[in-house]
């Protein structure tokens, strides 16, 4: 029985690590077991060290947000309080939970007659109730400050490492003598740290602030982890370092703009967002397809030729480009709204009501919601948080 059970497992293991899948023709795993400078050649078992490191990064994040980010937020005036609570009402709560969070005109008129409230006040209640489930600004500030710090640090490390790397100046060096390219200590730490960080994001995504683009970000993290892992195993790490650095350069700018937005430094937010938008468009729609994809699809084909994992990796890279186009569309919409309104108001994937709605809420809390209804409803405060927009 044990032998019979080992048969399918050994076949699966052999298929999973098939040399015909991972490596170019006439190259075997034994060829990559030989001596080399630095850390030798990449090994699949190196990936296992990522998981305890990801847990360590998550723990460092908790400490960072508690002892560094939170004091910084309080120092600049961000209050440690959640959104205002909607006044208790069993009928409206039942509609909100069981039927809809966005009642139409007909339902609003029916509730108005049932409760003897005017429609404006009911709209106000639903807006307050929607924002009641949203995280406070302090939480979002701490989350963004952690991401900003990591992206900035890893980008500085990456650009410093690549500056002295020959493939940064001549991208065809990514494929010369492939796959017999030794793994230096600097490259190893760069790769493993990036992979561990994205694994920590994958885990924390289920506890972090929920965004409208949750599914897109989940796919993005899966594609990123797959790309980093696969490119490490088959030693396409030189091209991988270029891709990681190219993405980090715009990521920290987005987080910086969000920090300015949460702190209500509108002019700084607008400036950073313009810089981020320009860098994003240039790197993701310009440099990435015409420099990175050009070398992974065409120059690598010319120098080393295609093989099974080559097709998979390029498929993932093309999937990443599709996500770039989607995000570019969302960023363009924000930029268009900024031109119309004169400021960056919110991301189309935001986790909080739009600025126009907030203005409506402020208005309604100064009139209909402040007046007492026939059933003795309590007064609702007329302050709402500023407009926020979500992460990339």
């Amino acid at each position: 029985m044990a032998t019979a059970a080992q048969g399918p497992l050994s076949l699966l293991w052999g298929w999973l690590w098939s040399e015909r899948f991972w490596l170019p023709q006439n190259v075997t795993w034994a060829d990559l077991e030989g001596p080399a400078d630095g850390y030798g050649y990449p090994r699949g078992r190196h990936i296992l060290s990522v998981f305890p490191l990801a847990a360590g990064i998550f723990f460092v994040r908790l400490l960072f947000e508690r002892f560094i980010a939170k004091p910084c937020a309080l120092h600049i005036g961000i209050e440690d309080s959640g959104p205002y609570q909607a006044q208790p009402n069993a009928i409206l709560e039942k509609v909100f939970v069981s039927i809809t969070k966005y009642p139409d005109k007909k339902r609003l008129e029916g509730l108005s007659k049932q409760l003897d409230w005017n429609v404006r006040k009911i709209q106000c209640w639903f807006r307050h109730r929607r924002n009641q489930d949203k995280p406070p600004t302090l939480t979002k500030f701490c989350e963004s400050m952690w991401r900003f710090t990591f992206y900035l640090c890893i980008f500085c490390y990456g650009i410093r490492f690549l500056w002295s790397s020959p493939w940064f100046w001549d991208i065809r060096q990514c494929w010369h003598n492939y796959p017999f390219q030794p793994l230096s200590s600097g490259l190893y730490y760069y790769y493993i740290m990036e992979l561990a960080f994205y694994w920590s994001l994958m885990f924390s995504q289920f506890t972090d602030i929920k965004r409208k683009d949750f599914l897109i970000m989940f796919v993005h993290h899966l594609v990123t982890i797959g790309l980093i892992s696969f490119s490490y195993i088959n030693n396409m790490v030189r091209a991988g370092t270029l891709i990681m650095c190219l993405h980090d350069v715009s990521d920290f700018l987005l987080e910086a703009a969000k920090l300015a937005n949460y702190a209500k430094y509108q002019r700084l937010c607008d400036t950073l967002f313009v810089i981020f938008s320009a860098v994003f468009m240039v790197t993701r729609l310009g440099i990435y397809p015409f420099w990175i994809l050009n070398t992974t699809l065409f120059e690598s084909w010319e120098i080393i030729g295609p093989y099974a994992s080559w097709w998979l990796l390029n498929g993932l890279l093309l999937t990443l480009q599709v996500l770039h186009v989607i995000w570019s569309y969302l960023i363009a919409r924000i930029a268009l709204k900024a031109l119309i309104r004169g400021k960056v108001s919110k991301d189309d994937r935001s986790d909080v009501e739009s600025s126009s709605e907030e203005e409506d809420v402020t208005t309604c809390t100064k009139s209909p919601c402040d007046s007492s209804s026939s059933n003795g409803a309590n007064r609702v405060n007329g302050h709402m948080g500023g407009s926020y927009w979500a992460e990339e």
Side-chain angles (χ1 to χ4, degrees), residues 9 19 28 49 52 56 58 75 79 81 116 120 128 130 133-134 156 194 234 238 248 266 271 291 335 341 346 385:
L9 290 177
E19 296 167 346
T28 66
S49 64
F58 184 74
H75 180 72
E79 297 180 357
S81 60
D116 194 22
R120 190 67 167 169
H128 275 294
R130 287 194 294 268
D133 295 335
K134 308 300 180 182
C156 292
E194 284 269 14
N234 69 356
R238 293 186 176 183
D248 291 336
Q266 191 62 49
T271 302
W291 192 48
R341 300 181 181 181
K346 72 182 278 286

Side-chain angles (χ1 to χ4, degrees), residues 173-379:
Q173 291 286 335
C174 291
W175 317 111
H176 289 169
N177 200 37
Y178 176 85
F180 303 104
Q181 299 170 342
L183 182 67
S184 67
S185 59
L187 197 158
Y188 171 80
Y189 291 130
Y190 186 25
Y191 239 77
I192 294 301
M193 186 61 69
E194 284 269 14
L195 183 57
F197 177 72
Y198 278 105
W199 269 115
S200 72
L201 287 185
M202 176 67 78
F203 298 143
S204 65
Q205 189 180 15
F206 297 94
T207 58
D208 286 345
I209 299 166
K210 294 298 185 294
R211 312 288 187 181
K212 291 181 180 178
D213 65 341
F214 176 88
L215 182 58
I216 295 178
M217 289 305 301
F218 185 76
V219 173
H220 171 268
H221 294 337
L222 282 178
V223 171
T224 302
I225 289 172
L227 276 168
I228 297 176
S229 302
F230 291 158
S231 62
Y232 185 86
I233 292 173
N234 69 356
N235 204 16
M236 285 189 178
V237 290
R238 293 186 176 183
T241 56
L242 298 175
I243 296 170
M244 292 189 299
C245 189
L246 191 67
H247 284 72
D248 291 336
V249 66
S250 61
D251 287 341
F252 78 85
L253 290 171
L254 174 62
E255 299 301 333
K258 288 163 61 180
L259 290 174
N261 192 50
Y262 298 147
K264 301 187 185 302
Y265 297 149
Q266 191 62 49
R267 184 169 297 179
L268 177 60
C269 170
D270 294 345
T271 302
L272 288 171
F273 182 76
V274 169
I275 297 173
F276 158 74
S277 301
V279 172
F280 188 94
M281 298 295 182
V282 170
T283 55
R284 308 291 180 96
L285 300 183
I287 296 176
Y288 181 83
F290 295 107
W291 192 48
I292 299 297
L293 290 182
N294 178 66
T295 195
T296 60
L297 285 170
F298 303 112
E299 292 179 346
S300 65
W301 182 299
E302 174 188 341
I303 296 174
I304 65 175
Y307 52 98
S309 64
W310 181 95
W311 290 103
L312 175 61
L313 286 169
N314 277 288
L316 290 173
L317 290 174
L318 290 171
T319 302
L320 197 58
Q321 181 59 26
V322 172
L323 296 177
H324 292 165
V325 173
I326 295 173
W327 282 317
S328 297
Y329 167 73
L330 296 175
I331 292 171
R333 290 185 61 177
I334 300 169
L336 180 60
K337 290 180 180 179
L339 291 175
I340 295 174
R341 300 181 181 181
K343 67 176 184 177
V344 177
S345 58
K346 72 182 278 286
D347 193 318
D348 286 319
R349 302 162 294 147
S350 178
D351 45 50
V352 179
E353 302 294 305
S354 67
S355 58
S356 60
E357 285 183 329
E358 287 163 2
E359 293 168 2
D360 290 343
V361 173
T362 303
T363 302
C364 76
T365 54
K366 290 180 180 178
S367 48
C369 283
D370 280 350
S371 60
S372 297
S373 63
S374 59
N375 63 358
N378 295 327
R379 176 174 294 187

